[in-house]
């Protein structure tokens, strides 16, 4: 399904603006914005796999916040949808973003109409949560990670606010195959047969695309939702990366900017947003035993009883190749659906939003006319520690476990023994961590969560603070769509899940999947009726939208920023080896290269934590022009480059930067150089910038270099 950028020339004709639209007649006002959110590129643990050994050591692709302001024609009703290249959001980040927006735009943006969704890359810096469990493997709270997110999200929203203009929105939905599989098929099979028979696949293959054009029919932006984990980059990776969705965004934005005729010259914002990805993996070769190549045990995802040996991979030869393939697949399908000749629906109708804070530990769920149940205080099950086939855990934990272990119960009880009420509430989950009953040094997991619904015409965007499994998402979408339509909303309403929004409250499985206690069920923290509680809340929001009623705001969540603990040591100092300077070249480029080969240059460097170089770069690849000037063609944000940082002497604070450039096959022939930019810290704490550059080298036509 992957095709090169050069192969899209033939698609230009189908990407021309919609000639059936009447220029000047618009339905909405829309603005777009994009800003860097890349955190510390060294020594900070990456968020997602909960692997303490997975520490940042450079940059594969920078991470960005992409913001979209949707308003009605009068500009009176509006909301902001933000997609971030982060693992997820945290309550503390959302609260701080809203605080700054309220100061910038009094009365315009609040927690009610600002929604922020993470793409769920597992290769971004951690330490930005306010709840303890999620920061443990990051050595606590990392202010630099949190600040980068807040600054970037706010700046992207500012850009979107300032660029609002009359616009139209077109909706398309289509199937993308060969890009996702179910990583917990045994749990999915526990859903009712008649329900499963309604669907062709055990994961959602549908991609939903919004094409946004200004009043003159010029491209302004694009959002799409497709359910797949950003775990193409595995838990051995140390480079900051926006994974497959970040690469898809990069391809789409490059393509549209190169095409030109944009609403905002030189800028285009394409968000490949996340959906109901809970049990969905991009590793399409599926899980296998890494020692034998044989299939893993389907119920426990083990090989010879060990979960560490059962790992899913593919479709590429390594994690970089797999990221490229899955990202390009999403880009290609999005471009097809974006086409103005593809069957689409022009959205029309009001812009709306509803939001509530909900205490998820105490929701009364009406199962039927005679039965009511309640949700539970948070707790993590045994299978949580087993990890997934995308990133296995350790020790003797296994997925699909409904039984406990005396040794691990003893270890658990040293922290907090679960009460009989908790054990009964979470049954059949065997509790490994009773997080909901631990309050020291502060809360371990959220109790009050952020639940939100946006509507723009016929589209309903559901924003839950968790990872919904495939069937959980389907049930939620169906419930919201039915509630809207039955209360007088548009009969052609389409609902999408925008997962991991505003906060992080782990996973949500169906009641039936919960009984199997795979990783996702063990991580459904409010008990077996979690999904139904969310559906109940979203139906209330949907009814309020359709009937134009207000909703109960709910109890405010805590702000725990002042309580955060951090054990990550600061950068003490940097030094260059005796007789050398920062930026000096240790290993230079070769005199010439062929397209398809890799340029590698090593510089004497300093710790990148000294300066994140936000909206900037640690490297450039530059081409020499005929007049002797240099033009930057790639930075550390681009797929084609990699920036590695390596500590060479902890005692003396010496380090290297290794910069690689994979020369594209279509790269023009000429003279090039690589530059490195960094900042060193003296023993007195002074930060000083430096620059280094490689020799000039040639990129030749022939692959046979003499």
């Amino acid at each position: 399904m992957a095709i090169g950028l050069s192969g899209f020339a033939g698609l230009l004709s189908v990407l021309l603006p919609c000639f059936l639209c009447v220029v000047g007649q618009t339905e909405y006002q829309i603005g777009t914005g994009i800003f860097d959110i890349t955190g510390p590129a060294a020594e900070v643990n990456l968020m997602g796999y909960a692997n303490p050994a997975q520490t940042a050591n450079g940059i594969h692709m920078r991470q960005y916040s992409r913001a979209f302001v949707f308003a009605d024609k009068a500009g009176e009703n509006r909301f902001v949808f933000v997609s971030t290249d982060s693992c997820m959001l945290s309550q503390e980040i959302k609260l701080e973003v809203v605080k700054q927006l309220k100061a910038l735009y009094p009365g315009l943006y609040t927690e009610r109409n600002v929604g922020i969704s993470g793409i769920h890359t597992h290769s971004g810096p951690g330490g930005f949560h306010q709840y303890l469990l999620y920061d443990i493997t990051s050595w606590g709270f990392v202010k630099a990670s949190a600040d980068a997110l807040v600054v970037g999200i706010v700046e992207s929203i500012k850009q979107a606010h300032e660029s609002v203009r009359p616009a139209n929105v077109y909706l398309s939905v289509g199937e993308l195959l060969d890009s996702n599989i179910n990583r917990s098929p045994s749990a999915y099979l526990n859903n009712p047969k008649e329900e499963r028979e309604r669907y062709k696949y055990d994961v959602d293959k549908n991609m939903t695309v919004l094409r946004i054009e200004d009043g003159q029919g010029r491209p302004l932006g694009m959002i799409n939702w497709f359910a797949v984990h950003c775990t193409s980059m595995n838990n051995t990776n140390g480079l900051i990366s926006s994974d497959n969705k970040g690469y898809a965004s990069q391809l789409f934005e490059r393509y549209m900017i190169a095409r030109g005729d944009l609403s905002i010259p030189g800028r285009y914002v394409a968000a490949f947003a996340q959906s109901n990805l809970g049990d969905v993996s991009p590793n399409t070769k599926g899980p296998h035993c890494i020692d034998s190549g044989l299939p893993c045990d389907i119920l426990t995802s083990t090989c010879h009883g060990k979960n560490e040996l059962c790992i899913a991979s593919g479709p590429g030869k390594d994690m970089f190749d797999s990221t490229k393939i899955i990202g390009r697949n999403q880009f290609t399908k999005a471009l097809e659906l974006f086409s103005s000749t593809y069957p689409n629906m022009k959205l029309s109708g009001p812009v709306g939003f509803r939001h509530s804070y909900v205490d998820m530990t105490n929701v009364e769920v009406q199962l039927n006319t005679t039965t009511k149940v309640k949700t539970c205080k948070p707790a993590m099950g045994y299978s949580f520690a087993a990890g997934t086939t995308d990133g296995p855990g350790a020790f003797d934990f296994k997925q699909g476990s409904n039984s406990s272990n005396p040794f691990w119960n003893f270890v658990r009880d040293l922290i907090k023994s679960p009460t009989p009420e908790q054990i009964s509430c979470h049954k059949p989950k065997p509790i490994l961590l009773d997080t909901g009953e631990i309050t020291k040094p502060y809360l371990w997991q959220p109790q009050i969560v952020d639940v939100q619904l946006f509507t723009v015409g016929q589209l309903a965007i559901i924003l839950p603070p968790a990872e919904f499994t495939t069937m959980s998402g389907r049930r939620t979408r169906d419930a919201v769509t039915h509630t809207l339509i039955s209360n007088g909303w548009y009969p052609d309403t389409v609902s999408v899940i925008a997962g991991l929004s505003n906060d992080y409250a782990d996973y949500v499985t169906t009641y039936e999947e919960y009984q199997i206690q795979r990783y996702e069920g063990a991580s459904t923290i409010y008990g077996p009726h979690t999904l139904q509680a969310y559906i109940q809340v979203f139906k209330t929001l949907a009814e309020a939208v359709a009937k134009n009623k207000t909703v109960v705001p709910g109890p405010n969540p805590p702000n725990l920023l002042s309580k955060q603990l951090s054990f990550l040591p600061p950068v003490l100092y940097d030094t260059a080896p005796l007789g050398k300077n920062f930026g000096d070249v240790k290993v230079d480029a070769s005199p010439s290269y062929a397209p398809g080969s890799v340029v590698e240059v090593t510089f004497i460097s300093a710790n990148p934590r000294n300066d994140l170089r936000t909206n900037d770069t640690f490297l450039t690849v530059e081409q020499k022009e005929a007049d002797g000037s240099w033009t930057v063609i790639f930075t550390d944000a681009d797929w084609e480059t990699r920036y590695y940082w390596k500590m060479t002497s902890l005692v003396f604070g010496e380090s290297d930067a290794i910069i690689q450039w994979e020369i594209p096959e279509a790269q023009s022939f000429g003279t090039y150089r690589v530059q490195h930019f960094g900042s060193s810290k003296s023993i007195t704490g002074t930060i000083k910038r430096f620059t280094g550059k490689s020799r000039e080298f040639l990129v030749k036509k022939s692959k046979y270099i003499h």
Side-chain angles (χ1 to χ4, degrees):
M1 294 194 62
I3 58 177
L5 282 174
S6 60
F8 287 112
L11 288 179
L12 281 174
S13 59
V14 299
L15 286 171
L16 293 174
C18 175
F19 289 112
L20 297 177
C21 306
V22 179
V23 173
Q25 293 186 5
T26 55
E27 298 290 336
Y28 303 104
Q29 293 193 57
I30 299 175
T32 62
I34 181 170
F35 204 86
D36 186 8
I37 57 170
T38 309
E43 301 178 321
V44 175
N45 284 89
L46 300 182
M47 180 70 199
Y49 291 111
N51 180 359
Q54 191 186 13
T55 304
N57 64 354
I59 296 176
H60 175 221
M61 293 183 290
R62 279 190 177 261
Q63 300 172 282
Y64 289 92
S65 171
R66 294 174 172 88
F68 301 80
V69 170
F70 288 85
D72 57 22
K73 285 184 179 181
E76 295 175 353
N77 296 313
R78 66 176 58 206
F79 66 78
V80 183
F81 177 78
V82 184
S83 177
T84 62
D85 291 342
S86 58
C87 189
M88 69 279 285
L89 262 292
S90 71
Q91 215 162 59
E92 180 266 330
I93 298 297
K94 167 83 180 275
L95 291 171
E96 187 59 31
V97 167
V98 168
K99 177 183 175 182
Q100 294 193 23
L101 290 175
K102 285 180 176 179
L104 289 167
Y105 311 106
L108 201 56
Y109 300 113
T110 72
E111 62 270 33
R112 312 299 176 190
N113 67 344
V114 175
I116 312 170
S117 172
I119 66 167
H120 207 41
T121 176
H122 284 43
S123 296
F128 55 85
H129 287 270
Q130 72 166 356
Y131 297 108
L132 184 67
L133 183 66
Y134 310 127
D135 282 346
I136 288 176
T137 57
S138 302
W139 294 101
F141 185 74
V142 180
K143 189 175 185 297
S145 293
D147 287 350
L149 281 165
V150 171
V151 169
I153 293 168
V154 170
E155 288 298 322
S156 69
I157 294 173
K158 285 171 62 178
Q159 287 182 14
H161 173 83
E162 292 163 5
S163 66
V164 165
R165 61 201 59 206
N168 288 309
V169 184
Y170 303 89
L171 178 84
S172 299
V173 181
E175 280 190 350
L176 171 58
L177 305 180
D178 303 321
S179 300
N180 58 359
I181 63 170
N182 196 306
R183 69 186 187 189
S184 288
S186 59
Y188 180 88
L189 286 171
N190 206 45
N191 289 307
K193 182 181 179 182
E194 60 273 20
E195 182 180 34
R196 289 186 281 110
E197 287 177 345
R198 292 173 51 199
Y199 304 99
K200 188 175 180 181
Y201 304 102
D202 63 359
V203 293
D204 280 339
K205 302 290 185 179
N206 54 299
M207 176 183 280
T208 303
V209 170
L210 287 187
R211 185 176 89 246
I212 306 169
E213 298 176 351
D214 69 11
Q216 285 69 51
R218 296 173 302 189
L220 179 58
M222 186 276 293
I223 311 173
N224 83 71
W225 290 270
F226 179 71
V228 65
H229 255 85
C230 284
T231 49
S232 294
M233 301 293 288
N234 63 40
N235 64 5
T236 67
N237 171 54
L239 299 179
I240 290 175
S241 176
S242 48
D243 211 279
N244 55 65
K245 286 188 177 290
Y247 181 52
S249 287
Q250 187 176 122
L251 288 177
F252 207 104
E253 288 165 353
R254 278 187 185 180
Y255 181 79
M256 296 303 294
I257 290 171
R259 178 191 158 201
D261 189 33
L262 301 174
S263 180
I264 303 176
R267 189 177 89 196
Y268 188 83
V269 182
F272 282 73
Q274 196 50 270
S275 193
N276 52 316
L277 78 163
D279 51 0
V280 187
S281 170
N283 296 307
T284 54
K285 287 181 181 177
H288 60 275
C289 299
I290 59 175
D291 58 343
S292 66
L294 296 174
C296 309
D297 178 78
I298 191 171
L299 297 179
T300 62
S301 294
T302 58
C303 302
H304 326 298
K306 295 183 179 294
N307 71 307
E308 299 96 326
L309 298 177
C310 178
I311 298 177
S313 62
K317 63 180 183 292
D318 58 27
M319 62 181 170
F320 292 99
D321 193 35
S322 294
T323 302
K324 192 171 188 178
I325 292 169
I326 299 299
R328 192 176 288 274
N329 286 355
Q330 291 177 76
F331 160 66
T332 304
K333 188 65 184 182
L335 193 62
E336 175 191 339
L337 294 173
F338 182 89
S339 162
S340 57
T341 63
Y342 196 92
N344 60 66
M345 171 170 53
K346 182 181 179 182
L347 299 184
S348 61
V351 170
F353 60 88
R354 293 296 186 276
H355 169 280
S356 283
Y357 287 123
V358 179
D359 183 353
M360 282 297 293
T361 70
N362 192 34
V363 178
E364 188 173 75
V365 178
Q366 186 81 46
L367 291 184
N368 52 49
T369 56
T370 59
T371 307
K372 292 182 180 180
V373 293
K374 280 194 173 183
T375 51
C376 316
K377 293 180 181 179
M380 305 297 287
Y382 263 66
S383 294
F384 150 74
T388 73
T389 54
D390 289 336
F395 304 108
D396 59 349
F397 294 101
K398 299 176 179 64
Q399 293 196 69
S401 174
N402 283 325
S403 60
S404 59
N405 175 288
F407 172 75
W408 290 114
N409 282 350
F410 171 76
V411 174
R412 172 200 68 191
D413 292 347
L414 293 176
I415 303 172
K416 173 68 177 70
S417 177
T419 61
E421 291 78 14
Q422 273 284 80
I423 293 171
S424 175
C425 191
H426 282 273
K427 192 176 180 180
K429 177 199 293 179
I431 295 175
L432 179 64
L433 288 173
D434 186 19
T435 52
E437 296 187 316
I438 307 175
T439 58
K440 295 187 182 303
Y442 40 87
L443 292 175
W444 281 42
Q445 284 183 303
Q447 298 183 0
I448 298 170
V449 302
D450 199 306
V451 183
Q452 199 169 37
L453 179 69
F454 291 157
T455 56
V456 51
Q458 299 94 321
L459 177 67
I461 305 171
I462 304 163
L463 295 94
E467 303 179 55
F468 279 45
T469 61
T470 299
M471 196 64 86
S472 295
R474 288 169 175 170
R475 291 184 190 178
T476 305
R477 290 198 309 261
D478 287 350
V480 168
T481 302
H482 174 76
T483 301
L484 286 168
I485 294 173
S486 64
N487 283 280
W489 208 248
Y490 302 94
D492 52 355
T493 293
V494 175
S495 296
V496 297
I497 301 285
L500 301 109
S501 291
N502 301 318
D503 192 6
Y504 187 63
D506 290 88
Y507 281 74
V508 177
T509 63
T510 67
Y511 176 84
E512 295 83 0
E513 291 164 351
Y514 186 90
Q515 308 308 306
I516 304 302
Q517 280 299 292
R518 295 275 297 177
Y519 175 85
E520 296 83 11
S523 303
T524 297
I525 63 176
Y526 303 115
H529 304 292
T530 299
L531 172 61
Q532 198 55 41
Y534 275 116
I535 288 175
Q536 200 167 277
V537 174
F538 279 117
K539 287 174 67 176
T540 299
L541 299 184
E543 182 179 351
V545 166
K547 293 184 175 181
N548 196 26
K549 299 191 307 184
T550 59
V551 293
V552 177
N556 287 328
N559 189 331
L560 304 177
L561 185 59
S562 63
K563 298 179 180 291
Q564 297 303 305
L565 300 176
S566 180
F567 300 97
L568 180 70
V571 178
L572 297 178
Y573 55 83
D574 301 284
T575 63
L578 189 64
K580 301 291 185 180
N581 297 306
F582 293 110
D584 285 355
V585 174
K586 289 181 69 173
V587 180
D588 213 338
S590 298
S592 59
Y593 294 88
S597 56
V598 177
V599 178
E600 182 172 299
V601 185
T602 303
F603 297 89
I604 294 171
S605 193
N607 197 310
R609 288 171 58 197
N610 295 328
D611 182 355
L612 304 186
R613 302 192 69 85
T614 301
N615 254 26
D616 202 342
T617 182
F618 287 101
L619 68 91
T620 54
V621 177
E622 302 172 3
Q623 184 173 15
K624 196 172 189 178
E625 305 294 344
D627 62 0
S629 63
W630 293 89
T631 299
V632 174
I633 57 172
F634 295 110
T635 70
D636 64 11
D638 293 308
W639 174 270
E640 292 80 2
T641 65
R642 296 179 197 171
Y643 159 58
Y644 293 90
W645 178 79
K646 180 181 179 181
M647 176 70 77
T648 56
S649 173
L650 180 62
V651 174
F652 295 105
E654 296 177 359
S655 61
D656 290 344
I658 300 123
I659 293 172
Q660 295 179 350
W661 173 38
E662 184 177 349
I663 305 173
E665 293 287 353
Q667 191 64 44
S668 60
F669 315 120
T671 301
Y672 295 82
R673 73 181 182 188
V674 172
Q675 286 210 79
H676 169 48
F677 308 92
S679 300
S680 63
K681 183 177 183 180
S682 70
I683 192 70
T684 61
T686 302
I687 305 292
K688 185 177 181 181
R689 287 193 162 192
F690 63 85
T691 302
K693 60 174 65 74
S694 75
R695 75 196 314 170
E696 298 179 13
F697 56 88
L698 296 177
V699 172
K700 294 188 173 182
K701 292 184 180 181
S702 173
K703 292 188 177 182
Y704 300 96
I705 304 298
H706 301 285

